[in-house]
Amino acid sequence: MAYNQQPQPSRVKLPPRNSIQKYRHQVAAQARAMGMSRNLVNHALTSPFTQVLASEDLRPAAPDEGPPSEETILKELRDHLTIAAHLELSTIPIYLYGMYSAKQRKDAEDLLSIVIEEMLHLVLAGNVYVAITPQDAPPLLLYDPSIAERYHYPSLMFDRIPELMLHLRPLDEAFIDMGKQIECRLDPPPDQKQEAHPDDDDHYRSLGEFYEGVIHLIEQGQPSFAPNAGTQINDQEFTFPDGYDLQPILDANAAIRALQTIIEQGEGATPDSPNSHLAKFNAMKPPEGGIWNVPVDPAYQQLDPNTDIAKILDLFDAAFCYLLLSIEKTWQVQPGSTIRNDLVNKNIWGLMESILKPLAKWLVQTPAKAEDPNGPTVGPRFEFYHFETGPGGIPKALNQLQDLTKSISGTGFSGWNKVKSAIDDMASIEGI
């Protein structure tokens, strides 16, 4: 299809201020009203609710609403972990697009390491979600038509202060600057500072602050951990660099360690952490070997819908969304089963290595217009693909994905037959 509308950035909203945060604000307000010192107010904000103040005569009256119930805490925690998973997903296409734009792989090694760790962060957020979610509660959804706007660029990064517009763009200076802002620490350099609202818990100034809020929710809420924790993605299915051991999330301490890993690998445990994503972006330079002439935000590139290029773009979007479906279904199936093994090996690994990668590499090197061989090439869009649904609203995705390949000739695409074979070999998600 041809995309010729003007860019309309999508805006992702965080869940509203949670009950624990409301309760803390009520306690703090009453403490300030009693004329307590700043230190005492801070103590009230950081202490467990059952020990807000040690002195009986200084303890403020209990707020009307009272502490939130465990059911409320669990729902709010699932809401925030869903946002966390979508947040990690929002960065992966950006970093992949920059990586694919480099003509030589050696120029994007640091970016590849960041992408791999973002995949780890997605897995960790999803595993924590599974660990606190009873079997009769809604599963974590990565593919959901109601949130299709989250798979679209340009896009505003959740409720971040200051606002940050996310783009798919080549690995140039602007891309590197965007990466620094995505991974920034809470105290950004002076040229990035804008007016913030630290008392507004509906907004977050960095990814680290967002995850610290989720950790606080776990610490103060002490949620129960569900018996279906065995469906978490494990280290036999995914191995990550630097020896990270993907341990199952079985209690609050393990959940907190997992979320702290995301913070430490992203912005760094300290400002001078050498291997954090922020440090890698600070040291990153545009590729010495050059970049392909890919467009910024390729969803708005005008193409003839009848060409192989346009159809392969649709196929890429559909394959990307089938990857999301396969990941979310993996969390719903017991490890060791045939379908689980197929989801991991044929679908997740097969899609990433044998389908999406060769499609993207072909697209970034292919001129958008045959009559202009030196003009702009084509970039993968990472757009939401609307699969038709069958009984029960289950997407009939694999059949549609395979049908898309039948309309593509593959002329000029040397690896087309291997891509088509990998798609034919994938497992169906219907019935899971």
Side-chain angles (χ1 to χ4, degrees):
M1 65 180 65
Y3 288 79
N4 53 20
Q5 66 268 41
Q6 290 299 310
Q8 294 295 321
S10 60
R11 182 184 296 270
V12 176
K13 296 290 290 182
L14 284 170
R17 179 181 297 168
N18 65 59
S19 297
I20 285 181
Q21 290 168 330
K22 290 180 181 177
Y23 189 67
R24 290 175 66 238
H25 276 261
Q26 290 172 352
V27 171
Q30 291 192 25
R32 293 189 186 100
M34 295 174 65
M36 294 181 182
S37 68
R38 179 183 296 273
N39 287 339
L40 206 52
V41 170
N42 288 339
H43 177 68
L45 289 174
T46 57
S47 296
F49 296 131
T50 55
Q51 301 173 354
V52 172
L53 294 173
S55 174
E56 182 70 30
D57 59 338
L58 290 178
R59 186 177 298 121
D64 293 337
E65 292 185 14
S69 67
E70 181 174 344
E71 181 181 356
T72 298
I73 293 170
L74 277 174
K75 182 182 183 305
E76 290 167 352
L77 189 51
R78 286 197 297 269
D79 287 345
H80 281 74
L81 288 167
T82 299
I83 290 290
H86 295 163
L87 191 56
E88 300 301 334
L89 272 177
S90 73
T91 64
I92 290 172
I94 293 170
Y95 296 160
L96 282 174
Y97 195 85
M99 187 181 76
Y100 289 138
S101 73
K103 289 186 175 181
Q104 297 182 15
R105 176 169 175 164
K106 66 179 180 64
D107 289 328
E109 290 293 339
D110 277 347
L111 199 48
L112 173 61
S113 70
I114 292 173
V115 169
I116 292 172
E117 287 184 344
E118 294 295 349
M119 284 294 297
L120 169 61
H121 300 173
L122 170 61
V123 169
L124 291 175
N127 279 357
V128 176
Y129 183 100
V130 169
I132 61 152
T133 303
Q135 291 179 339
D136 58 351
L140 174 62
L141 297 181
L142 304 181
Y143 176 89
D144 184 351
S146 69
I147 56 171
E149 66 174 18
R150 296 180 188 174
Y151 305 101
H152 177 75
Y153 301 90
S155 174
L156 286 169
M157 186 175 179
F158 63 115
D159 270 1
R160 182 187 186 275
I161 298 175
E163 287 187 345
L164 176 61
M165 189 69 74
L166 304 179
H167 297 275
L168 296 181
R169 62 174 307 117
L171 183 48
D172 54 13
E173 291 286 1
F175 174 93
I176 296 169
D177 181 65
M178 179 174 60
K180 293 176 185 178
Q181 294 183 61
I182 290 172
E183 307 288 353
C184 76
R185 295 182 63 81
L186 183 55
D187 186 19
D191 62 347
Q192 292 183 21
K193 286 186 176 179
Q194 296 185 26
E195 182 180 359
H197 306 279
D199 291 332
D200 187 349
D201 288 311
D202 294 349
H203 295 81
Y204 297 82
R205 294 166 288 174
S206 73
L207 293 177
E209 187 179 37
F210 171 78
Y211 280 108
E212 289 288 359
V214 181
I215 289 172
H216 180 79
L217 199 55
I218 294 173
E219 291 175 332
Q220 301 292 2
Q222 288 296 312
S224 300
F225 283 75
N228 63 327
T231 61
Q232 295 174 36
I233 292 174
N234 60 64
D235 59 1
Q236 299 299 310
E237 298 166 326
F238 285 82
T239 55
F240 293 95
D242 300 326
Y244 184 84
D245 191 8
L246 196 60
Q247 294 291 327
I249 310 297
L250 301 177
D251 55 33
N253 288 335
I256 291 169
R257 284 197 301 272
L259 299 178
Q260 286 173 335
T261 294
I262 298 176
I263 297 173
E264 291 167 5
Q265 290 185 348
E267 64 182 42
T270 63
D272 55 354
S273 296
N275 296 317
S276 70
H277 298 180
L278 179 58
K280 290 176 180 178
F281 276 116
N282 283 334
M284 198 174 292
K285 303 292 183 184
E288 293 182 359
I291 55 178
W292 298 107
N293 192 17
V294 294
V296 176
D297 299 325
Y300 302 103
Q301 200 170 25
Q302 297 187 35
L303 300 168
D304 181 348
N306 297 313
T307 62
D308 260 10
I309 293 176
K311 293 174 183 178
I312 288 176
L313 279 170
D314 283 343
L315 178 64
F316 184 95
D317 292 342
F320 173 64
C321 287
Y322 200 66
L323 173 63
L324 304 185
L325 277 166
S326 297
I327 295 172
E328 72 177 45
K329 294 299 182 183
T330 299
W331 277 309
Q332 301 171 34
V333 179
Q334 288 296 328
S337 63
T338 300
I339 185 60
R340 170 91 170 209
N341 292 337
D342 285 347
L343 284 171
V344 171
N345 297 317
K346 293 183 178 181
N347 289 19
I348 297 176
W349 285 111
L351 281 157
M352 290 191 297
E353 291 295 323
S354 302
I355 299 171
L356 292 173
K357 182 192 290 186
L359 288 177
K361 286 186 173 181
W362 183 82
L363 287 167
V364 299
Q365 300 179 50
T366 301
K369 296 180 180 179
E371 64 272 20
D372 186 10
N374 297 318
T377 61
V378 185
R381 299 179 304 220
F382 294 94
E383 287 281 291
F384 190 89
Y385 189 90
H386 290 267
F387 290 114
E388 296 176 3
T389 57
I394 299 174
K396 299 169 62 176
L398 183 55
N399 289 342
Q400 293 171 67
L401 194 58
Q402 292 169 342
D403 286 344
L404 281 172
T405 66
K406 297 174 184 176
S407 66
I408 298 170
S409 70
T411 302
F413 189 164
S414 61
W416 173 243
N417 287 334
K418 290 183 179 179
V419 170
K420 189 174 180 298
S421 177
I423 291 174
D424 289 338
D425 192 44
M426 285 194 301
S428 173
I429 54 91
E430 291 184 57
I432 299 177

